[in-house]
């Protein structure tokens, strides 16, 4: 697994199974000066993050193969990935309220449809916070 290169802009891994959403997010993030990789499900996201460690993950909740919730738990429990901040994207505000009460989930949440300025703010806050320590179980 490679380590982040601080001489380059932050690398953000987009994880979503909808190509239109990935395209929109990639376009926004590139225009904001970030480097971008993408994966179509949680399992592919884990493989991608192990290959080239991103500075941040923006992950959809509902995906095939391995959904965002399970992938997030995997990231947070794996010592190689646990310091990577995760923004979980969902259409369910109720889900966010429930999951914020549980340990080991995302570092931030964005509700679909999201405002670009809100997403940009969450990304900036998550990157500024830096690597997150492993959470207690």
């Amino acid at each position: 697994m490679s380590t982040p290169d601080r001489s380059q802009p932050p690398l953000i891994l987009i994880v979503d199974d909808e190509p239109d959403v990935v395209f929109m997010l990639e376009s926004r993030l590139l225009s904001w000066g970030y480097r971008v990789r993408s994966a179509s499900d949680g399992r592919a996201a884990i493989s991608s993050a192990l290959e080239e460690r991103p500075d941040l993950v923006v992950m959809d909740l509902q995906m095939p193969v391995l959904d965002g919730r399970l992938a997030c738990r995997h990231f947070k429990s794996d010592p190689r990935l646990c310091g990577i901040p995760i923004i979980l994207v969902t259409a369910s505000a109720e889900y966010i309220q429930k999951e914020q009460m549980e340990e080991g989930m995302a570092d931030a949440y964005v509700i679909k449809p999201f405002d670009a300025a809100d997403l940009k703010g969450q990304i900036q806050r998550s990157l500024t916070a830096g690597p997150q320590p492993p959470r207690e179980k």
Side-chain angles (χ1 to χ4, degrees):
M1 174 176 61
S2 64
T3 56
D5 180 353
R6 298 295 172 212
S7 66
Q8 295 186 29
L11 174 63
I12 298 178
L13 175 60
I14 299 167
V15 188
D16 200 302
D17 62 317
E18 296 182 34
D20 291 343
V21 173
V22 172
F23 178 78
M24 183 273 300
L25 286 171
E26 281 180 344
S27 298
R28 290 275 179 175
L29 294 171
L30 290 169
S31 76
W32 294 337
Y34 297 110
R35 294 179 302 132
V36 178
R37 289 187 73 160
S38 63
S40 60
D41 61 64
R43 186 172 295 144
I46 292 164
S47 295
S48 180
L50 289 170
E51 181 181 311
E52 183 177 8
R53 183 182 170 95
D55 297 289
L56 175 73
V57 176
V58 176
M59 185 169 359
D60 188 29
L61 177 64
Q62 295 182 331
M63 297 179 291
V65 183
L66 187 66
D67 69 23
R69 183 172 170 261
L70 294 175
C72 187
R73 287 210 170 136
H74 183 90
F75 268 80
K76 297 303 181 184
S77 67
D78 187 322
R80 300 166 295 175
L81 303 174
C82 65
I84 302 170
I86 297 175
I87 298 174
L88 197 58
V89 180
T90 179
S92 172
E94 289 177 24
Y95 175 83
I96 291 173
Q97 291 171 349
K98 176 185 171 202
E99 293 303 321
Q100 284 178 329
M101 305 302 263
E102 288 187 27
E103 293 292 325
M105 286 305 292
D107 299 284
Y109 299 87
V110 175
I111 299 173
K112 288 181 181 178
F114 50 82
D115 177 73
D118 290 340
L119 177 63
K120 187 175 185 180
Q122 282 286 15
I123 289 170
Q124 290 171 335
R125 283 188 291 281
S126 295
L127 289 171
T128 302
Q132 304 299 306
R135 295 192 176 153
E136 297 293 319
K137 292 192 178 183

